[in-house]
Amino acid sequence: MTDQPLSLAERAAEVLTTADGRAKTALSRRHAAAWFASRTGEGPEIPVGTASPPLHPARPQEPELLNPRDVPKRKPGSEAGRIALLHAVAHIELNAVDLHWDIIARFSHVPMPLGFFDDWVKAADEESKHFNLMCDCLEALGSHYGALPAHAGMWRAAEDTADDLMGRLAVVPMVLEARGLDVTPGMIGIFRKANLNQAVEALELIYAEEVSHVAYGSKWFNFLCGRDNLDPKEEFHALVRKYFRGALKPPFNEEKRADAGLPPDFYWPLADQVKPLPGW
């Protein structure tokens, strides 16, 4: 009698309880490959299953996590500033790995098409790749992930929406990740000006792939609204006002947001109605 393979939800929880960033992302990529092999019939069948994910993912001892107001500000025109910027992106990507596995583990009991799980496994796999690219860039500059303090508030959205799948979709991919579409072109410009081609290539890849992650959020948010006969725009506005503590700060990358299924009337009405939170 052969052992049954771990369910997808159990694999998600395993990633969430792995502390080291490189180990977490390696495990994430192995589980993603196994899931897609299962989906194409090239590997053992993996059920979605259920799991009990931790409220907070395991984290390495470093970086030190600070209140967003206390994270030192560095000028991006200096080498120290560019290292700090890469470190901040690495931290965001590691949180994104956990966020995408968490939506699988935490909401696996919600009846959803298998495509929902395909999308978030693919997103988690890509975020794992992004984290490692940022780590490689940091190491090429003589630094590493954990060398600087980081933003402690990034998991707050997951805690606030732990019991609300629509709230999670609204706040994480459709607000936080959409913000990445707004700011990444400027970051690419900083590294291009400094002739740091490795960082430019990594950020260009991240920029291209993040559009699909926002699109997954928009797609499944609209799916749930349709299933429950809700108006997507009104529901999005209500959920962002309920859960999001930061600011929807223009300028917005309207072209890429549109590519991801976010029309302007979703986010512009919220832009001046939320108090800013330092760090976003």
Side-chain angles (χ1 to χ4, degrees):
M1 182 176 177
T2 58
D3 292 335
Q4 291 293 316
L6 290 175
S7 70
L8 181 65
E10 289 170 330
R11 291 166 191 263
E14 195 173 61
V15 174
L16 290 163
T17 53
T18 300
D20 177 77
R22 292 279 198 180
K24 180 189 292 285
T25 52
L27 182 63
S28 169
R29 303 210 73 182
R30 287 199 301 273
H31 284 334
W35 171 254
F36 286 116
S38 167
R39 294 284 280 132
T40 58
E42 297 172 3
E45 183 176 349
I46 297 173
V48 172
T50 58
S52 299
L55 185 58
H56 299 94
R59 281 279 179 266
Q61 289 187 335
E62 295 178 325
E64 179 187 7
L65 299 181
L66 301 177
N67 185 293
R69 295 173 180 83
D70 298 329
V71 176
K73 300 291 188 291
R74 294 177 173 86
K75 293 182 179 179
S78 66
E79 182 175 359
R82 290 189 290 270
I83 288 172
L85 188 53
L86 290 171
H87 194 277
V89 176
H91 186 63
I92 289 168
E93 299 298 336
L94 190 63
N95 274 271
V97 173
D98 284 324
L99 284 165
H100 296 328
W101 284 113
D102 187 80
I103 200 172
I104 291 168
R106 199 163 301 281
F107 299 103
S108 60
H109 63 284
V110 178
M112 294 294 286
L114 283 176
F116 172 85
F117 300 100
D118 288 341
D119 284 349
W120 295 116
V121 172
K122 186 171 189 292
D125 186 46
E126 290 175 347
E127 302 289 18
S128 301
K129 176 175 60 180
H130 300 169
F131 172 76
N132 285 301
L133 286 170
M134 288 295 97
C135 288
D136 294 344
C137 290
L138 283 167
E139 289 163 16
L141 294 176
S143 189
H144 63 276
Y145 178 65
L148 300 171
H151 191 317
M154 295 197 59
W155 196 252
R156 186 181 296 156
E159 292 179 58
D160 291 346
T161 59
D163 300 313
D164 188 340
L165 176 55
M166 288 186 66
R168 176 69 62 90
L169 292 167
V171 173
V172 175
M174 298 174 74
V175 170
L176 296 181
E177 291 201 274
R179 178 66 177 154
L181 301 181
D182 303 333
V183 301
T184 304
M187 289 194 287
I188 292 170
I190 288 168
F191 290 98
R192 182 172 283 123
K193 186 176 180 180
N195 295 314
L196 293 174
N197 293 332
Q198 182 182 3
V200 169
E201 290 175 9
L203 288 166
E204 285 179 337
L205 176 67
I206 290 170
Y207 182 49
E209 293 185 342
E210 290 293 347
V211 175
S212 64
H213 304 171
V214 180
Y216 298 155
S218 178
K219 175 172 74 173
W220 294 111
F221 184 83
N222 281 281
F223 170 86
L224 289 169
C225 286
R227 191 159 75 177
D228 294 337
N229 198 29
L230 299 169
D231 179 278
K233 183 171 63 176
E234 290 182 7
E235 196 67 17
F236 178 74
H237 289 169
L239 289 167
V240 173
R241 290 188 181 109
K242 179 178 180 180
Y243 291 120
F244 188 59
R245 307 184 193 188
L248 273 65
K249 296 188 291 190
F252 299 118
N253 187 337
E254 297 199 21
E255 179 183 356
K256 290 297 183 184
R257 284 170 172 257
D259 289 346
L262 278 182
D265 59 355
F266 267 55
Y267 50 87
W268 270 112
L270 298 169
D272 298 319
Q273 298 178 27
V274 189
K275 291 182 181 179
L277 176 72
W280 282 103

